[in-house]
């Protein structure tokens, strides 16, 4: 605590400093408004109040590319419109909580990029506890990243881009059918040597197509089960459950903004955007009058769907795309 005598002195100095800063500041003058109303007038000044022209999507392509692997942007706009090839480098640590009994997966299954996430899937009887496994990547893994909240199992658009690759049609009634989805995505990806898929829900996660080909077990722990109380797969207000959910959200908060999830190395040269109006013209009329969060990939024509799949196949067949 400062003594009462020093307070008026401190206040005096603060006012003096603020006064000096204020007098040192020169107000910015606005450039004269351009008569033509152009977005960029002849003096090179941008008019940032101008809305993008109707139907243009360049701003959306740019904004999604600028938001990839960042948690908040992809929570706000959860219907993904971008698929990007990426690599998971050797040495990356990944986590798996065994949901179906104490077995280390050998075929396809899921991993999280944070243990706070995988712990929610560490389930078992109170007596036997649960199995939590840590893996290290031993060979570079080829993955595809679906942007948006692509692991939020909703039927309103967050799974559209995966449905397209797995089933060549949108299947909202299969939103919760994760086993069918991972099987069919891996089957599609096998043709191109893909090892997995990166998605996001409360944090980032990966679908791994073969647990023994590119990873080794670092540790396998028999832990006390978390006694989570779920209702329809969703966490309840039970205190213990809320605590674990909070830990997960806290770990995701490290990934909210740039640089986001840095364990996935994306190749931006292979980015495929559903806002690309030359690649996917059929979606343009569907977006007219809709707010951005209502944009969907559902409604794409079958010709455009084939074009996207051909483009992806070409890209991921190119060795240069992979590190
Ligand atoms: C998984 O990878 C291992 C090691 O490369 C291989 O022996 C095995 O056949 C693969 N499994 C499947 C289902 O492809
Ligand atoms: C926007 O796109 C819709 C559907 O493709 C079209 O009918 C409309 O004329 C377009 N508007 C402008 C200003 O280009």
């Amino acid at each position: 605590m400062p003594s009462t005598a020093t307070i008026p002195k401190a206040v005096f100095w603060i006012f003096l400093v603020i006064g000096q800063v204020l007098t040192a500041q020169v107000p910015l003058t606005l450039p004269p408004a351009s008569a033509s109303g152009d977005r960029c007038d002849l003096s090179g000044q941008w008019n940032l109040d101008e809305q993008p022209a109707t139907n243009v999507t360049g701003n959306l392509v740019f904004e999604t590319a600028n938001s990839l692997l960042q948690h908040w942007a992809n929570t706000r706009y959860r219907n993904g419109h971008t698929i990007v090839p990426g690599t998971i480098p050797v040495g990356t640590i990944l986590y798996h909580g065994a949901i179906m009994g104490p077995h280390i997966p050998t075929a396809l299954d899921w991993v999280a990029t944070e243990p706070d996430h995988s712990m929610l899937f560490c389930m078992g009887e109170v007596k036997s506890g649960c199995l939590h496994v840590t893996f290290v990547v031993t060979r570079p893994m080829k993955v595809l990243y679906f942007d948006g909240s692509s692991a939020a199992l909703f039927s309103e658009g967050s799974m559209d881009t995966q449905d397209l690759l797995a089933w060549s049609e949108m299947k909202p009634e299969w939103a919760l059918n994760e086993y069918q989805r991972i099987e069919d995505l891996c089957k599609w990806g096998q043709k191109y040597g893909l090892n997995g898929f990166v998605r996001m829900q409360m944090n980032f996660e990966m679908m791994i197509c073969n647990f023994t080909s590119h990873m080794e077990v670092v540790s396998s722990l028999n832990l006390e089960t978390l006694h989570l109380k779920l209702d329809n797969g969703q966490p309840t207000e039970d205190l213990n459950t809320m605590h674990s959910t909070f830990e997960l959200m806290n770990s995701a908060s490290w990934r909210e903004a740039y640089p986001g999830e840095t364990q996935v190395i994306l190749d931006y040269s292979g980015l495929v955007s559903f806002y690309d109006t030359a690649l996917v013209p059929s979606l343009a009329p569907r977006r007219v009058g809709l707010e951005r969060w209502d944009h969907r990939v559902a409604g794409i024509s079958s010709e455009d769907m084939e074009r996207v799949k051909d483009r992806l196949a070409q890209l991921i067949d190119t060795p240069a795309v992979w590190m």
Side-chain angles (χ1 to χ4, degrees):
M1 277 290 281
S3 75
T4 45
T6 62
I7 287 175
K9 212 192 257 175
V11 170
F12 169 79
W13 281 109
I14 287 169
F15 274 109
L16 187 71
V17 169
I18 289 175
Q20 284 184 342
V21 169
L22 286 180
T23 51
Q25 287 201 349
V26 180
L28 294 169
T29 46
L30 288 171
S34 102
S36 62
D38 284 348
R39 254 171 287 282
C40 183
D41 68 22
L42 291 177
S43 62
Q45 299 290 335
W46 289 91
N47 178 2
L48 299 177
D49 293 330
E50 186 105 3
Q51 293 289 321
T54 316
N55 296 346
V56 303
T57 56
N59 55 319
L60 302 174
V61 175
F62 183 80
E63 207 284 326
T64 39
N66 191 44
S67 303
L68 298 175
L69 294 172
Q70 295 165 49
H71 195 262
W72 173 240
N74 288 285
T75 301
R76 182 170 159 85
Y77 295 117
R78 65 189 187 198
N79 295 347
H81 277 69
T82 319
I83 303 177
V84 198
T87 306
I88 313 297
V90 171
T92 305
I93 303 287
L94 300 167
Y95 307 90
H96 175 82
I99 198 168
M100 303 289 272
H103 314 291
I104 297 182
T106 52
L108 35 75
D109 216 312
W110 290 261
V111 291
T113 56
E114 298 288 347
D116 313 70
H117 192 179
S118 51
M119 268 310 287
L120 255 62
F121 298 90
C122 194
M123 292 182 187
E125 299 295 326
V126 172
K127 216 170 91 196
S128 57
C130 72
L131 183 71
H132 189 263
V133 192
T134 304
F135 292 91
V136 62
V137 173
T138 52
R139 290 160 62 193
M141 285 204 278
K142 288 162 78 168
V143 293
L144 279 192
Y145 165 52
F146 297 103
D147 81 339
S149 298
S150 46
L153 310 180
F154 298 128
S155 52
E156 290 92 14
S158 56
M159 319 302 291
D160 285 353
T161 53
Q162 288 164 81
D163 286 15
L164 187 152
L165 286 194
W167 304 319
S168 295
E169 61 177 312
M170 308 300 147
K171 286 186 179 282
E173 70 281 11
W174 281 13
L176 299 178
N177 203 340
E178 281 280 87
Y179 282 97
Q180 194 66 47
R181 184 175 293 112
I182 192 173
E183 254 182 37
D184 292 336
L185 277 176
C186 285
K187 202 158 97 194
W188 178 83
Q190 203 175 25
K191 287 181 279 188
Y192 310 106
L194 282 179
N195 307 119
F197 300 87
V198 177
R199 308 189 302 173
M200 190 200 91
Q201 46 154 318
M202 286 173 78
N203 205 338
F204 289 88
E205 59 163 61
M206 287 174 215
M207 294 159 141
I208 302 285
C209 296
N210 182 345
F211 262 63
T212 54
S213 61
H214 288 67
M215 303 191 302
E216 267 172 24
V217 174
V218 177
S219 79
S220 164
L221 302 174
N222 186 195
L223 302 178
E224 188 184 350
T225 177
L226 286 178
H227 312 298
L228 295 184
K229 294 202 171 59
L230 302 179
D231 179 19
N232 230 341
Q234 300 300 317
T236 60
E237 286 187 11
D238 160 64
L239 260 191
N240 188 48
T241 307
M242 281 171 73
H243 180 236
S244 299
T245 313
F246 172 79
E247 292 298 344
L248 166 55
M249 292 172 74
N250 190 32
S251 73
S253 70
W254 306 335
R255 315 271 179 249
E256 292 302 356
Y258 182 85
E261 175 52 80
T262 52
Q263 304 187 84
V264 183
I265 314 295
L266 295 182
D267 185 329
Y268 284 72
S269 72
L271 183 152
V272 170
S273 173
F274 289 85
Y275 284 126
D276 177 345
T277 47
L279 183 68
V280 193
S282 61
L283 287 180
R286 298 198 154 252
R287 288 189 291 258
V288 173
L290 288 187
E291 290 285 352
R292 179 165 164 205
W293 38 64
D294 293 325
H295 293 174
R296 286 195 62 165
V297 170
I300 185 173
S301 70
S302 45
E303 300 84 61
D304 289 4
M305 197 174 322
E306 285 314 306
R307 208 171 13 245
V308 167
K309 290 173 95 168
D310 286 349
R311 168 80 63 90
L312 274 171
Q314 263 173 26
L315 282 170
I316 56 190
D317 246 355
T318 314
V321 166
W322 311 100
M323 295 195 336

